[in-house]
């Protein structure tokens, strides 16, 4: 399935959306209030809603080409409320130049479809029961169809990327290869309490930072931004993705997490950075015994969470996340003096602050 540029909007400059200072948080949402937190976060992003709607429409257009057993699974994921954060990053980075709007919408659909493909496969690997407040695809239709739907998403991404040209196709292909490497590293490290902080950061760079990086680079390149500024946005995206992943690990140890019982990745031997930090501390022996026990089950997760919190694992992980967040912001340098740079700073701050509300 292809669609020509002339068939939608032609060429136009994206509008600069007004940025604003974020007001201090007055209310902390209940941990399980996913929709409430999502609505607040979206309201504070300097987002082009027409662009988001265009991306969603093009994703549905791509989903419509899939066969009947697969199409409903992807359409269900597309229609559920989401942040569309990755396409938003792409759009904001395009504001540093003068992109073709139609191509930009298609690029936004590419990165969101990549995200959908990753979620479909991740949920099978992690055995997640819910996603965005609804049953996961593998719970609805079985793991085989869920994996095939994710694979079909990757195929759609490849076709769309090829139609947009060699630069896009090459960048997307490299990113997919890196994402796959990150997923494989994640599985290979299962039940390994000796994984170092540096090893984990590298895994987060491949697994999460790579897609954030791709979003920033594709948006900037489409807008013909200067090479040195593309490099800045490249590093911004990578570091922001690492920070995002580490904070997600910390949230997984919170009471009443949104999409799954707290810390269930531990049952699969997938230890996030807070747990790895705790394993290098004074309670490592006790924590290792719990995590490596052949009989570990959901009842043991309360002990795991308490041990990780008591030994400062969450605080240590958040310190590392904050360092990567600071690196992401500082690397932007002179770009922050531009309207697009201001919008990117508001986006970064919103992503950072709203993860904890």
């Amino acid at each position: 399935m292809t669609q020509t540029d002339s068939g939608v909007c032609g060429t136009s400059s994206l509008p600069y959306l007004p940025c604003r200072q974020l007001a201090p948080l007055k209310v902390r949402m209940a941990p399980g209030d996913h929709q409430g937190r999502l609505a607040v976060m979206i309201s504070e992003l300097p987002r082009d809603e027409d662009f988001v709607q265009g991306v969603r429409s093009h994703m549905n257009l791509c989903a419509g080409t899939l066969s009947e057993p697969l199409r409903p699974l992807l359409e269900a994921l597309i229609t559920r409320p989401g942040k569309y954060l990755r396409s938003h990053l792409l759009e904001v980075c395009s504001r540093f130049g003068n992109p073709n709007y139609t191509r930009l919408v298609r690029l936004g659909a590419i990165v969101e479809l990549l995200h959908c493909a990753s979620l479909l496969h991740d949920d099978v690997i992690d055995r997640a029961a819910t996603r965005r407040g609804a049953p996961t695809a593998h719970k609805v239709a079985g793991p085989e169809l869920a994996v095939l739907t994710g694979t079909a998403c990757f195929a759609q991404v490849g076709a769309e990327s090829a139609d947009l040209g060699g630069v896009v196709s090459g960048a997307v292909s490299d990113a997919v290869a890196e994402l796959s490497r990150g997923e494989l590293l994640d599985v290979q490290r299962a039940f390994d309490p000796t994984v170092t902080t540096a090893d984990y950061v590298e895994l987060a760079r491949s697994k999460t930072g790579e897609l954030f990086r791709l979003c920033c680079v594709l948006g900037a390149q489409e807008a013909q931004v200067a090479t040195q500024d593309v490099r800045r946005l490249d590093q911004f995206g990578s570091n922001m993705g690492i920070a995002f992943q580490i904070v997600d690990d910390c949230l997984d140890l919170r009471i009443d997490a949104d999409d799954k019982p707290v810390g269930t990745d531990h049952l699969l031997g997938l230890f996030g950075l807070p747990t790895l930090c705790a394993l290098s501390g004074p309670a490592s022996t006790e924590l290792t015994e719990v995590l490596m026990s052949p009989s570990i089950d959901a009842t043991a997760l309360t002990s795991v969470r308490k041990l990780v919190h008591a030994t400062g694992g969450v605080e240590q992980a958040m310190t590392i996340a904050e360092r990567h967040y600071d690196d992401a912001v500082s690397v932007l340098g002179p770009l922050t003096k531009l309207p697009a740079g201001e919008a990117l700073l508001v986006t970064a701050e919103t992503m950072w602050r709203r993860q904890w509300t």
Side-chain angles (χ1 to χ4, degrees):
M1 185 275 297
T2 61
Q3 184 174 348
T4 61
D5 292 345
S6 60
V8 187
C9 307
T11 303
S12 65
S13 296
L14 289 175
Y16 285 128
L17 300 182
C19 297
R20 56 202 178 283
Q21 291 297 109
L22 298 180
L25 292 178
K26 296 180 180 179
V27 178
R28 289 182 65 84
M29 299 286 181
D33 188 7
H34 170 72
Q35 295 302 324
R37 291 204 319 279
L38 180 63
V40 172
M41 180 177 181
I42 289 174
S43 72
E44 293 193 342
L45 287 172
R47 208 164 77 151
D48 182 342
E49 294 300 334
D50 289 337
F51 175 78
V52 173
Q53 184 56 48
V55 168
R56 187 182 288 114
S57 296
H58 197 76
M59 291 175 70
N60 278 315
L61 192 63
C62 292
T65 67
L66 301 185
S67 60
E68 178 59 31
L70 309 183
R71 185 174 65 250
L73 298 178
L74 178 56
E75 288 176 338
L77 196 54
I78 294 171
T79 55
R80 289 174 205 158
K83 298 182 286 293
Y84 281 77
L85 185 57
R86 288 146 190 87
S87 54
H88 169 69
L89 278 173
L90 182 145
E91 187 269 320
V92 172
C93 289
S94 77
R95 299 184 200 178
F96 290 101
N98 185 28
N100 177 292
Y101 189 84
T102 302
R103 286 175 56 89
L104 200 68
V105 167
R106 295 179 68 184
L107 288 170
I110 283 172
V111 297
E112 292 295 348
L113 285 170
L114 264 180
H115 184 47
C116 285
S118 297
L119 294 180
L120 287 161
H121 286 179
D122 280 351
D123 286 343
V124 173
I125 294 171
D126 297 342
R127 303 173 195 171
T130 60
R131 170 67 64 182
R132 294 176 180 172
T136 51
H138 74 91
K139 286 292 185 181
V140 172
E144 294 85 0
L145 282 179
V147 169
L148 285 173
T149 305
T151 303
C153 276
F154 281 121
Q156 286 289 324
V157 165
E160 282 286 294
S161 301
D163 195 53
L164 289 175
V167 173
V168 172
S169 182
V172 171
S173 296
D174 289 345
V176 170
E178 189 62 24
L179 288 169
S180 300
R181 188 179 82 92
E183 194 66 60
L184 182 59
L185 288 173
D186 202 20
V187 173
Q188 286 178 334
R189 73 182 177 94
F191 292 104
D192 184 358
T194 67
V195 174
T196 66
T197 297
D199 290 338
Y200 186 83
V201 168
E202 181 57 31
L203 183 149
R205 190 184 306 278
S206 296
K207 186 178 177 183
T208 307
E210 181 63 19
L211 185 50
F212 279 55
R213 184 199 68 79
L214 177 68
C215 298
C216 296
V217 169
L218 285 180
Q221 288 181 336
E222 184 60 33
Q224 299 180 1
V225 173
T227 301
Q228 66 269 25
D229 293 334
V230 174
R231 292 196 188 101
R232 290 180 183 276
L233 296 171
D234 178 307
Q235 294 176 55
F236 167 84
S238 182
N239 277 295
M240 203 67 210
I242 293 169
F244 193 90
Q245 179 62 55
I246 295 173
V247 172
D248 193 58
D249 291 342
C250 294
L251 293 177
D252 195 40
L253 290 167
R254 182 182 57 179
I255 298 173
D256 236 349
D258 294 333
D259 282 348
K260 52 190 175 181
V262 175
T264 51
D265 283 350
H266 293 78
L267 300 179
L268 304 174
L270 303 178
F271 311 142
L273 189 58
T275 302
L276 294 173
C277 288
L279 284 168
S280 66
S284 60
T285 301
E286 183 180 359
L287 183 57
T288 299
E289 288 177 356
V290 175
L291 292 172
M292 303 304 288
S293 170
S295 59
I296 186 172
D297 56 20
T299 61
L301 296 180
T302 299
S303 296
V304 170
R305 184 178 62 81
K306 288 180 178 179
L307 285 168
V308 173
H309 276 277
T311 56
V314 173
E315 289 78 7
Q316 292 175 55
M318 278 303 299
T319 297
I320 296 170
E322 187 169 7
R323 185 166 68 241
H324 284 281
Y325 170 77
D326 289 342
D327 287 346
V329 171
S330 64
V331 78
L332 293 175
L335 294 181
T336 59
K337 298 178 181 179
L338 301 173
E342 187 182 348
L344 198 55
L345 284 179
V346 172
T347 296
E349 184 179 353
T350 303
M351 289 169 60
W352 178 253
R353 292 169 74 249
R354 288 303 171 191
Q355 296 233 39
W356 286 104
T357 59

